[in-house]
Amino acid sequence: MIGLMVAAALLLAAAVVAVDRYRTARIMARLDRMVTQAMDGDFTESDFDETRLSALETRMARYLAASALSARNLRQQKEQIAALISDISHQTKTPVANLRLYAQLLAEQPLSPQGRDCAAAIDAQSEKLETLIQALVKSSRLETGILTLHPVAGDLAPMVERAAAQYGPRAGEKGVTLTVAETAGDAVFDAKWTEEAVCNLLDNAVKYTPPGGTVTVSVRSYELFSAICVRDTGPGIPEAEQSKIFGRFYRCPGAWQTEGVGVGLYLTRQIAQGQGGYVKVDSTPGVGSAFFLYLPRNDRER
Ligand code: ADP
């Protein structure tokens, strides 16, 4: 009799465990389906009958529905920003180009020395405005993910040499020696955008280095990253300023005599980060600065 009761109890316990396991497996399967749908971006709460869900599943479904909604809102906002940016860049292009044209036509008229200075100032300010709009459009496109980088594995030398060649004449005019040292090295990088980042570094190096100074560009490969280094013998950057110079519109207090709008390094950092890299500065006031653009050497680092 006792044996029979023990057997019945064991049977009952086994049945309870089996039912519990079956229920847990169903909950796990439904949770798995919810998360998979959410990851694919097609989660809808109505796909799951709430009356048959456990409390945990209901909470998970609500959470995923809320995040799907905010992802949709974010997508819409991005699309609106994209449209706004493209409107701004399109609508300002012609007036700014016309401003420059009229300033140049004005400069060709018989003017007093003061009038000539004013015409030159209008042209310079319009050019600055043009640069600023272009830089802002680029940086917000990168920031909002409208513009994506397409890094591919390749040699850095051709891109670095192309960038340096663009600054040779400007350096020469200013009496700054621009040297291209060792450029052999490889990385996984977007050639067009990385060239723009290197150009920003070279532009600054040539711009801030006084006549008689030198700018050297080189490449060095490490185990995981390759670094493009632009070194100059310019005024250097005080330590307290070094973390600020990558901020949007930031210019060091001593930079006011030199033309600039303060977005070059900000854009350079965005370009580096957009492909899994980073930018570093090493500078000593009165001696010079070295900017390093690190780029991953293989896809795993990105
Ligand atoms: P911009 O040069 O247009 O002002 P950037 O974003 O390129 O803007 O640089 C930010 C600031 O960092 C500059 O205003 C300048 O003060 C400082 N800086 C950048 N590069 C150098 C350099 N090579 N030597 C000295 N100062 C530099």
Side-chain angles (χ1 to χ4, degrees):
M1 184 64 184
I2 291 178
L4 213 61
M5 280 168 69
V6 170
L10 278 176
L11 217 62
L12 192 67
V16 168
V17 169
V19 168
D20 197 46
R21 279 212 176 145
Y22 172 71
R23 209 180 280 152
T24 309
R26 279 189 55 186
I27 291 176
M28 294 311 282
R30 273 200 298 258
L31 285 175
D32 186 53
R33 197 149 66 89
M34 284 181 195
V35 173
T36 308
Q37 282 190 3
M39 282 166 73
D40 295 342
D42 51 16
F43 175 80
T44 31
E45 215 175 350
S46 56
D47 281 359
F48 299 88
D49 178 2
E50 206 173 306
T51 56
R52 293 171 59 197
L53 297 182
S54 66
L56 172 66
E57 286 169 286
T58 308
R59 278 212 301 279
M60 180 65 128
R62 295 218 173 120
Y63 168 74
L64 292 177
S67 30
L69 182 69
S70 52
R72 257 196 310 278
N73 287 343
L74 203 67
R75 233 185 351 260
Q76 276 167 2
Q77 275 171 14
K78 258 188 189 176
E79 280 160 16
Q80 281 165 1
I81 294 171
L84 182 70
I85 292 168
S86 126
D87 281 352
I88 294 174
S89 85
H90 193 74
Q91 299 296 333
T92 53
K93 210 176 267 169
T94 316
V96 173
N98 284 344
L99 261 178
R100 294 205 64 193
L101 181 72
Y102 286 124
Q104 281 152 15
L105 287 175
L106 189 64
E108 285 166 16
Q109 305 298 312
L111 291 173
S112 64
Q114 213 178 6
R116 245 195 311 277
D117 286 352
C118 284
I122 295 172
D123 188 33
Q125 291 301 311
S126 322
E127 190 186 358
K128 194 167 170 176
L129 189 62
E130 204 173 24
T131 314
L132 188 61
I133 294 169
Q134 277 171 9
L136 282 177
V137 167
K138 276 180 209 161
S139 82
S140 29
R141 281 186 175 158
L142 281 171
E143 238 165 40
T144 51
I146 294 160
L147 218 155
T148 42
L149 304 176
H150 300 288
V152 283
D155 280 342
L156 288 164
M159 182 275 298
V160 171
E161 279 157 22
R162 239 183 356 254
Q166 292 174 47
Y167 286 87
R170 196 178 301 176
E173 269 168 32
K174 199 179 165 185
V176 168
T177 310
L178 175 61
T179 313
V180 181
E182 181 60 58
T183 56
D186 61 281
V188 182
F189 67 108
D190 180 309
K192 179 174 157 263
W193 282 96
T194 310
E195 184 174 330
E196 174 139 359
V198 176
C199 283
N200 286 342
L201 298 180
L202 283 166
D203 188 62
N204 281 345
V206 173
K207 194 164 75 170
Y208 292 107
T209 301
T214 57
V215 171
T216 313
V217 53
S218 60
V219 172
R220 209 164 154 189
S221 288
Y222 301 93
E223 193 186 337
L224 301 176
F225 289 86
S226 279
I228 301 167
C229 169
V230 177
R231 189 180 292 278
D232 65 54
T233 58
I237 303 158
E239 204 178 334
E241 300 288 317
Q242 290 176 16
S243 59
K244 301 182 192 163
I245 55 174
F246 297 97
R248 183 150 54 184
F249 299 131
Y250 190 82
R251 305 201 73 209
C252 295
W256 59 271
Q257 307 109 309
T258 315
E259 278 296 318
V261 289
V263 288
L265 288 180
Y266 176 73
L267 201 58
T268 301
R269 190 171 65 173
Q270 274 183 314
I271 294 170
Q273 288 177 346
Q275 44 194 337
Y278 60 101
V279 194
K280 235 181 72 181
V281 61
D282 181 7
S283 183
T284 311
V287 177
S289 310
F291 283 86
F292 301 87
L293 170 60
Y294 284 87
L295 296 164
R297 294 188 69 193
N298 58 48
D299 265 330
R300 256 179 304 134
E301 304 313 316
R302 297 181 44 233

